[in-house]
Amino acid sequence: MSAEPRINDRIRVPEVRLVGPSGEQVGIVPLAKALELAQEYDLDLVEVAATARPPVCKLMDYGKFKYESAMKAREARKNQAHTVIKEMKLRPKIDPHDYDTKKGHVVRFLKQGDKVKITIMFRGREQSRPELGFRLLQRLASDVEELGFIESNPKQDGRNMIMVLGPHKKKTEAMAEAREAQAARKAERQGVAADEAADEVEADEAPVEEAPATDAPVAEAPVAEAPADAPVENPEA
């Protein structure tokens, strides 16, 4: 069966309880009268409660109604929180640099509102030293206690030891904070761009200073004159 309501000529009942375009109660009217009113308002007659007696119908723009319903469903799916379990694997004798790197990933996952499955992998003789893995898990849980808590205590699973950390923040809260932070960064970038543009405009409009005019006479360089008794050179000589 179709999940969409019956509209206009698809409605097959003698009379309906009619609701107007603004939600006002019109009352029980014959189907022909309801269709006539829908045509006058240039709207659709939509059956909104088929199980009622008589069925409840409303005058509305069905195309617009379907579009708005689809947008609401899309927004609801967008904001829906999905439980995600991330996994991080460590070795019992992990070096400090690798431990800090792995811990950084765990912190990021918890901030995003995700659970984290921590797996300690034992090899060879390490399997006889489970306390090494237990202490490492306890250390990690202590380092991230501000962001998460131990949801599942450490337990041995074959060659591995597993612990699950849960975030203090819900997934929806983490998503909302991420959107707010993104919007703040975008607004900050736009503000910086606007300030730079304003500085460029002020620089272009700044007056250019001219050197002050002066009425002082310009000194002329003296012209050297040859002495009267100087011999004249003959170029043809």
Side-chain angles (χ1 to χ4, degrees):
M1 295 179 63
S2 175
E4 294 188 358
R6 294 185 296 181
I7 64 172
N8 299 329
D9 296 337
R10 296 180 183 177
I11 302 173
R12 304 293 185 181
V13 292
E15 58 184 14
V16 298
R17 185 180 298 276
L18 186 62
V19 180
S22 301
E24 68 276 13
Q25 297 291 332
V26 178
I28 299 176
V29 298
L31 177 62
K33 178 63 175 179
L35 292 172
E36 182 181 346
L37 290 174
Q39 188 174 5
E40 290 181 3
Y41 283 105
D42 194 20
L43 296 173
D44 299 301
L45 182 65
V46 182
E47 189 178 56
V48 295
T51 58
R53 291 291 179 268
V56 180
C57 295
K58 184 176 181 180
L59 298 176
M60 67 174 70
D61 186 339
Y62 186 60
K64 182 179 179 181
F65 170 76
K66 285 187 64 177
Y67 173 77
E68 292 177 349
S69 299
M71 293 301 294
K72 290 179 180 179
R74 179 180 178 183
E75 190 67 21
R77 289 193 300 269
K78 180 180 178 181
N79 295 329
Q80 186 176 4
H82 298 280
T83 302
V84 178
I85 299 179
K86 305 288 187 178
E87 184 174 11
M88 188 59 57
K89 296 181 178 181
L90 295 82
R91 296 293 308 279
K93 297 180 180 180
I94 187 171
D95 63 77
H97 175 73
D98 288 344
Y99 175 80
D100 291 337
T101 302
K102 300 282 188 178
K103 183 180 71 174
H105 292 317
V106 174
V107 168
R108 177 165 54 87
F109 295 148
L110 293 174
K111 284 184 177 180
Q112 293 173 354
D114 296 323
K115 297 181 180 181
V116 187
K117 176 184 176 182
I118 312 297
T119 302
I120 304 296
M121 301 179 297
F122 296 95
R123 294 181 182 177
R125 295 181 180 179
E126 294 175 349
Q127 298 182 53
S128 62
R129 301 287 304 279
E131 68 275 5
L132 296 178
F134 182 80
R135 285 199 297 264
L136 182 58
L137 291 175
Q138 291 295 323
R139 174 189 173 189
L140 180 59
S142 177
D143 289 344
V144 299
E145 62 182 356
E146 294 183 358
L147 300 173
F149 61 95
I150 299 177
E151 185 173 288
S152 177
N153 290 315
K155 62 180 180 180
Q156 194 76 23
D157 183 14
R159 295 184 177 182
N160 301 328
M161 182 175 289
I162 298 172
M163 178 183 71
V164 178
L165 296 175
H168 290 311
K169 293 182 180 179
K170 295 182 179 179
K171 184 70 173 180
T172 52
E173 296 176 358
M175 292 172 61
E177 289 183 359
R179 286 195 296 268
E180 291 177 359
Q182 183 178 5
R185 289 193 298 268
K186 182 178 180 181
E188 183 178 358
R189 289 195 299 268
Q190 291 176 347
V192 171
D195 292 341
E196 291 177 351
D199 292 341
E200 291 179 0
V201 171
E202 291 179 0
D204 293 339
E205 295 178 352
V208 178
E209 295 184 0
E210 298 180 356
T214 177
D215 296 334
V218 178
E220 296 182 357
V223 179
E225 297 181 357
D229 55 352
V232 179
E233 296 182 358
N234 187 3
E236 297 178 358

